[in-house]
Amino acid sequence: MTLKISVIGTGYLGVTHAACMSSMGFQVVGIDIDASKISALSAGELPFYEPGLQELLVAELASGRLTFSDSITSAASADVHFVCVGTPQRAGSLAADLSYVDSAIENLAPVIKSGSLVVGKSTVPVGTAERLLARLQHVNPLLDLAWNPEFLREGFAVEDTLHPNRLVVGVTNDDAEAILKEVYAQNLAEDVPWIRADLPTAELVKGAANSFLATKISFINAMAEVCEAAGGDVTVLAKAIGYDPRIGSRFLQAGIGFGGGCLPKDIRSFMARAQELGADQSLEFLREIDAINLRARTRVIDLVRAELEENLIGYKIAILGAAFKPDSDDVRDSPALDIASQLQAAGAAVTVHDPKALKSAQLRFPVLNYAESIEECIAEADLILHLTEWKIYRELDPVKLIGLVKRPIIIDGRNALDRDLWISAGWKFRALGRKAIN
Ligand code: UDX
């Protein structure tokens, strides 16, 4: 008999996981305490933008395999329960807020059937899985728990879930591994690497992977600072070191740094947990990674001041991009919006454009001015800041735009625009980690 699956938490991760599991042929119920989210999802409305997911959601609902419910009792008949709730940064602390994970386990334990397997996917501090397993078995000794960290990237969520580059499963026994092999049979048939680990290692893999990625980005942003001091060009430097296969060219895009709902909070929670474990020295370097990352936001503001003047009051600044990265409408800890609001607070008149994230940006930063079109955004601007590298911005024609602005100055905060094109069209082009060329 095909396994029945429940997915607890229908945020970004949960909806993607539920729809993808359904597309693999499982009967899936997605459960969330937010009834309005559940009714939207049941009607085939995705509450956020993610390429390909809307279509998949509609197709899987139509198949009859995927349903949504706001009642935890809907999990009762499932064999495997994926916990996909959020673990945001705790207010007033670097640590993660585990209240959603804890309550998911408390609510699940009494309603699910004996012999079923709970699988954690949320990013949690090491030691959480062992604690939750004890809690489950305290309620019912015939329940089991595994940890199966998620590595999906926003913008590629469906692709990363259907074709992950590895599967990591933290288990305490062979039966749990066998169940997970049944769940992921389709991936295993495609030779996706399978890594069995104990519970703490599975939890640590996620913290380690995100820390490494954050380190790579902050490394290149530190090199950008050195390039600025020495008159070098970080884009050429990144290209040159990236050809070494031991280094690799990906995640070496210098700019305003990382944001989003994962990397910033995950490295902080990793540091906080290491401190609790007495291993704070080991992750001390992540403080510097975090600091370099936040400094990139200040550096771009310094560049704005250098181009206009120290006092920004009254200057009109156009910002291209609000999402924390392209192909997403996620604005959680978005470097672009952080910079926009800092400039606004400094007295500039800021107008923001984004092809998908205007609604989410407006909700989070209602005081900023937003424009539906690029032309409206840049009209009479004293300076344009390119802060999220959407394809439509990379394809802009600088010749056409130059007549719309007050001063033809553009700062590329993502090192993604074609500098020669903009300069030959008559623009002053500035970027982090690169010399000014007029
Ligand atoms: C990340 C991890 O990649 C993923 O494996 C994990 O599951 C969740 O966190 P995501 O948050 O979707 O995924 O974004 P990612 O593509 O990693 O980018 C994070 C941030 O780094 C973005 O703000 C992006 O603009 C920035 N970035 C990325 C750079 O500044 N330079 C780069 O070279 C790469």
Side-chain angles (χ1 to χ4, degrees), residues 150-155 160 166 206 209-210 213 217 220-221 250-263 266 293 324-326 333 335 389 414:
E150 182 55 58
F151 306 105
L152 68 80
R153 297 161 297 165
E154 296 192 16
D160 285 353
R166 80 285 210 192
K206 180 65 189 274
N210 275 352
L213 294 172
I217 299 168
I220 203 64
N221 283 334
R250 302 186 60 187
F251 268 66
L252 286 185
Q253 190 79 22
I256 56 170
F258 58 82
C262 291
L263 293 193
D266 286 352
N293 190 53
F324 86 103
K325 68 187 254 187
D333 200 354
E389 67 278 34
R414 290 294 184 180

Side-chain angles (χ1 to χ4, degrees), residues 10-72:
T10 58
Y12 203 87
L13 167 61
V15 180
T16 310
H17 193 65
C20 289
M21 287 288 116
S22 165
S23 79
M24 290 177 180
F26 297 105
Q27 193 72 39
V28 182
V29 58
I31 300 173
D32 203 291
I33 48 172
D34 183 341
S36 64
K37 205 188 263 181
I38 290 300
S39 60
L41 288 167
S42 303
E45 289 160 23
L46 191 64
F48 52 86
Y49 173 71
E50 175 62 36
L53 188 53
Q54 174 70 57
E55 296 83 340
L56 188 69
L57 172 69
V58 170
E60 293 313 310
L61 285 168
S63 77
R65 287 184 299 266
L66 179 62
T67 54
F68 290 95
S69 165
D70 61 3
S71 165
I72 195 75

Side-chain angles (χ1 to χ4, degrees), residues 109-186:
V111 301
I112 56 180
K113 58 186 185 192
S114 287
S116 58
L117 178 67
V118 176
V119 185
K121 276 194 120 22
S122 310
T123 303
V124 291
V126 60
T128 305
E130 276 175 358
R131 177 172 66 77
L132 298 177
L133 174 60
R135 184 64 204 141
L136 277 176
Q137 294 187 336
H138 175 76
V139 177
N140 179 351
L142 297 176
L143 295 178
D144 195 8
L145 179 125
W147 216 261
N148 170 216
E150 182 55 58
F151 306 105
L152 68 80
R153 297 161 297 165
E154 296 192 16
F156 299 89
V158 174
E159 192 186 318
D160 285 353
T161 306
L162 292 177
H163 308 286
N165 49 24
R166 80 285 210 192
L167 283 161
V168 177
V169 294
V171 291
T172 59
N173 57 73
D174 294 343
D175 290 348
E177 186 184 17
I179 292 172
L180 285 167
K181 282 196 166 166
E182 209 176 318
V183 170
Y184 291 117
Q186 204 164 306

